[in-house]
Amino acid sequence: MEIKEEGASEEGQHFLPTAQASDPGDCQFTSIQKTPNEPQLEFILACKDLVAPVRDRKLNTLVQISVIHPVEQSLTRYSSTEIVEGTRDPLFLTGVTFPSEYPIYEETKIKLTVYDVKDKSHDTMANSSRI
């Protein structure tokens, strides 16, 4: 995975085939089976073999988690991990948990964006590839 400088935003990219994206009325949504008092969806994050945009620079990696709901097709920031400093293979202690009451479906898209934080005091980040 290569980390790139933040440039033109790809936030508006299509996550459904064009025919589906233009006519959300034809979509049918399937709910995910829930067990009471348990998270609806939970996962941990790790990256491997990240490449810094500048040689001899250590990475300070953060992952931002966004959700694209099937009907609205709008991107909503959900959460982010902590910053893991100085490694190409970060393992994040902050996991992602969607509680049982969160409206998530099998058709819901989850977007992960990896950032290299250049200066924590100024919130300056370089954008990486999207998963």
Side-chain angles (χ1 to χ4, degrees), residues 67-81:
V67 177
I68 302 168
H69 294 283
V71 175
E72 296 94 17
Q73 288 297 299
S74 61
L75 188 68
T76 305
R77 287 185 182 175
Y78 183 74
S79 68
S80 63
T81 64

Side-chain angles (χ1 to χ4, degrees), residues 54-78:
V54 178
R55 283 200 124 118
D56 301 327
R57 184 178 169 282
K58 297 209 179 224
L59 296 171
N60 299 316
T61 310
L62 167 125
V63 178
Q64 179 180 299
I65 298 90
S66 301
V67 177
I68 302 168
H69 294 283
V71 175
E72 296 94 17
Q73 288 297 299
S74 61
L75 188 68
T76 305
R77 287 185 182 175
Y78 183 74

Side-chain angles (χ1 to χ4, degrees), residues 3 50-61 83-88 115-119:
I3 295 184
L50 295 175
V51 178
V54 178
R55 283 200 124 118
D56 301 327
R57 184 178 169 282
K58 297 209 179 224
L59 296 171
N60 299 316
T61 310
I83 297 170
V84 176
E85 298 180 358
T87 180
R88 294 177 47 201
Y115 289 99
D116 176 24
V117 179
K118 292 181 176 182
D119 185 353

